[in-house]
Amino acid sequence: MTKYSLKNRCLLVLLLLAVINQAHADNGYKLWLEYNRITAPQQAAVYKQQLAYFIFPAASDQLKAAKTELLTGLDGMLSFIPRDTKAIISGQTFIVGTPRSLKSLSIVVPDGIGSEGYLIKTTLINQQKCTIIIANTDVGVLYGVFNFLKLIQIHQPINRLDISDHPHIMYRVLDHWDNLNRSVERGYAGSSIWNWHKLPGIVDQRYIDYARANASVGINGSVINNVNADALILSPQYLIKIQTLANVFRVYGIKIYLSVKFSSPVDLGGLKTADPLDATVKKWWADKADEIYHYIPDFGGFLVKANSEGQPGPQTYGRTHADGANMLADVLAPHHGIVMWRAFVYDNNVPDDRSKQAYNEFKPFDGKFRDNVIIQVKNGPIDFQPREPFHPLFGAMPNTSLMMEFQLTQEYLGFSTHLVYEAPLFAECLQADTYTQGKGSTVSRVLQGDFNKKLITGMAGVANIGSDLNWCGHPFAQANWYAFGRMAWNPDQSPAAIADDWLKMTFTNDAGFVSPVKRLMLESRENTVNYMTPLGLHHIMGVSTHYGPGPWVDNAGRPDWNATYYHKADSAGIGFNRTSTGSNALSQYAPEVKANWENLQTCPDEYLLWFHHLSWTYKMRSGKSLWDEIVHHYYMGADSVKQMTLTWNKMQGKVDAERFTEVQQLMQTQLAEATTWRDACVLYFQTFSKMPIEAIYAKPEHPLPYYKGMKFYYVPGIGGNNYMTN
Ligand code: BDP
């Protein structure tokens, strides 16, 4: 017998296997900032040679953060740290900073880069070849560094660089719907990452990593609390906690904003009214603004949900949205703060199609808002549905700043169990042509202020972030946070290019993984539309929880919370007639758009039942009857999830075991839920069409009463303060 007994040798092998497995386990906490080791020796050697020396004087906190990130990234990817140098060693040096921080080198930043842009360029300085990452400001350097690291993360050559980039949108903001009790309204990734109990004393590493991740994609604002706001957020007890967060975020170029309750002067200040034209109310807000800026000198401003879903607002006191927004704008203006005022308003006492109400309320106030007010408009006219046409307010208020509100948290897209890459949804809306200033007036151009340079510009994403180890619940939901940042920076970037970068940074550069999984991501949103709300159907989810299908819902608290209000299925057909013979919501769009969608010959199938009520036997472009087409889409949708699981199964071994298995399990859940959606909807609509499901399709797994009887308790995303039941 040798030194080791058989038993001991077996134990050693097991230990070794455990260590190897450990090395391949990844809980996703690092997001797209994995900085995976470059294992090809030749490739790593080339990078190391080109990056051997650097000049990076870092006096400010932001430059220090940029430098730390750079060194962390290089160490992770190349297991090496460049050497500080004073003299440039040709071909082996890179230089990072601003004209101010690099005084001795007389660096000139080209025009057009602005206060947040950067230049990454291979160039000659003092006749020596080097790489420069330069910007006008420290935060520009930070963005440049993250993008330089990205080049290495996605294995790009860095010997002939010439990248000049700057944001196309000013306010790039995440909206957290986080409550003070740490529940998250419509949050599916655990509880709030803000640990109010331990603030201000304890600075959780998560706050820093959150800020790093945001800065890496150019997000420069964070609204940290729910739009259904608690007035307490403005109390000194909370302001001191918020100050700690602001101090962390500032280093990464992120400003803090707060959602405020319009009745705060009453709730918190003990006043008799919150009437925006009342002098004592104005004074209360002005004093409150001074107090906030005392704690947070670079505070960003307020987000307001007013007169919407039970929230108080200026109309509560007989005033208008403009009165309310302008009063708050006036108290913030001396401090350079802004007001993001939401256009998500609708009232069941108004006898008009819900989809028309925001436009009706706001359009008359075009040009009436202060310069530091920006109206925050959801991408579509109802409410973050899997597919909506663009909101008619885009382009309709040329004298008012408008910002986009997308929803990253998957309230209507399968929570955090469904893989839905949302960039195609964002791009569909952003590239839609509003025709409001002639052909080519896309939503993207409206948002970028192309038609009125005086306006301020913005894009908000309702965050999908929580305390889960992997931040977003589903490993692929991280891609929606990432893609939002990228598209807020430049709304015209392609979903495919973003997915490509994200996959490489988050998982691996292996083309055998990136190419099939990218395809899967790009198709995922359409798949979900197919198994949830095909052909323009909308708002047919479970009541209140918004979990699973609920096309039969007809007894919610308000008529416009019922599914039947939206699909209008009857024996004659299905769909919401929004043409001139119906609610005429189409009249809110430019004539070209209206004509296109009103005409059945030109209205795309995607919006058919959003705008038209059609008979079950209506002949579709495919030649099928409308009924057969609906059935086809539901089956196609559920089947595509099956295909997705097959693709993913082939990825075993290409990514770490932990995330591979997690995604595999999530996809099984998604498949089961997609099948439930399909069967429940098809069976329910069949009670009106009275037509058969073609024999080529599998029979629904259960009869309709089974689906109607499904009950869900303690569904995530609810249970906070001010929770609404729509
Ligand atoms: C709806 C959500 C609700 C939000 C509301 C909003 O169900 O929880 O409060 O949007 O945006 O989609 O204010």
Side-chain angles (χ1 to χ4, degrees), residues 177 185-186 227-228 305 309 342 344 378 383-384 411-412 546 726:
W177 286 358
E185 181 152 339
R186 312 308 182 182
V227 283
N228 296 315
K305 172 174 178 177
E309 298 187 329
R342 296 177 90 222
F344 178 66
K378 288 189 180 182
D383 195 357
F384 297 140
E411 177 179 0
Y412 304 99
H546 297 175
N726 63 333

Side-chain angles (χ1 to χ4, degrees), residues 84-342:
D84 261 309
T85 180
K86 294 241 156 18
I88 301 169
I89 293 129
S90 188
Q92 296 188 54
T93 309
F94 65 110
I95 299 169
V96 194
T98 62
R100 210 166 134 220
S101 73
L102 296 166
K103 258 193 297 299
S104 57
L105 292 173
S106 18
I107 296 277
V108 180
V109 179
D111 288 345
I113 279 192
S115 60
E116 291 180 298
Y118 58 85
L119 179 79
I120 305 178
K121 194 174 165 73
T122 314
T123 186
L124 289 180
I125 293 198
N126 302 343
Q127 319 301 320
Q128 309 292 324
K129 184 177 169 194
C130 56
T131 307
I132 54 170
I133 306 171
I134 56 163
N136 286 316
T137 61
D138 294 355
V139 78
V141 171
L142 183 67
Y143 293 150
V145 162
F146 273 115
N147 280 282
F148 182 68
L149 285 168
K150 183 181 91 186
L151 296 175
I152 306 173
Q153 285 177 285
I154 63 170
H155 296 188
Q156 291 295 299
I158 55 164
N159 55 341
R160 253 186 257 143
L161 295 170
D162 191 3
I163 301 169
S164 151
D165 201 5
H166 63 91
H168 297 220
I169 298 275
M170 294 175 199
Y171 296 93
R172 307 177 297 278
V173 181
L174 278 183
D175 289 356
H176 291 262
W177 286 358
D178 293 18
N179 297 310
L180 298 185
N181 64 6
R182 294 195 74 185
S183 64
V184 181
E185 181 152 339
R186 312 308 182 182
Y188 312 105
S191 48
S192 170
I193 56 172
W194 321 129
N195 194 331
W196 295 113
H197 174 61
K198 290 184 173 168
L199 281 165
I202 298 181
V203 181
D204 193 323
Q205 177 64 32
R206 274 219 176 215
Y207 307 151
I208 300 165
D209 291 332
Y210 163 83
R212 284 175 56 230
N214 280 337
S216 76
V217 285
I219 291 169
N220 65 359
S222 178
V223 184
I224 57 171
N225 63 318
N226 192 354
V227 283
N228 296 315
D230 186 327
L232 270 181
I233 195 80
L234 294 177
S235 65
Q237 292 94 312
Y238 279 92
L239 291 179
I240 195 156
K241 294 170 192 275
I242 298 163
Q243 182 184 43
T244 296
L245 293 177
N247 291 345
V248 172
F249 294 177
R250 183 174 304 116
V251 175
Y252 291 91
I254 298 160
K255 283 190 178 176
I256 284 219
Y257 299 78
L258 294 177
S259 295
V260 295
K261 198 176 177 93
F262 200 76
S263 56
S264 296
V266 177
D267 305 334
L268 197 64
L271 301 191
K272 290 213 164 42
T273 176
D275 178 349
L277 301 190
D278 182 287
T280 55
V281 171
K282 281 195 225 174
K283 167 127 183 21
W284 188 88
W285 281 109
D287 291 346
K288 189 47 81 179
D290 291 345
E291 188 184 351
I292 296 171
Y293 281 91
H294 164 75
Y295 287 100
I296 308 159
D298 57 351
F299 177 68
F302 295 147
L303 171 64
V304 193
K305 172 174 178 177
N307 295 117
S308 166
E309 298 187 329
Q311 291 299 326
Q315 292 174 340
T316 318
Y317 308 94
R319 311 298 182 189
T320 67
H321 283 286
D323 293 332
N326 290 341
M327 181 275 292
L328 291 177
D330 288 343
V331 305
L332 292 173
H335 307 281
H336 310 292
I338 63 163
V339 173
M340 298 179 278
W341 191 270
R342 296 177 90 222

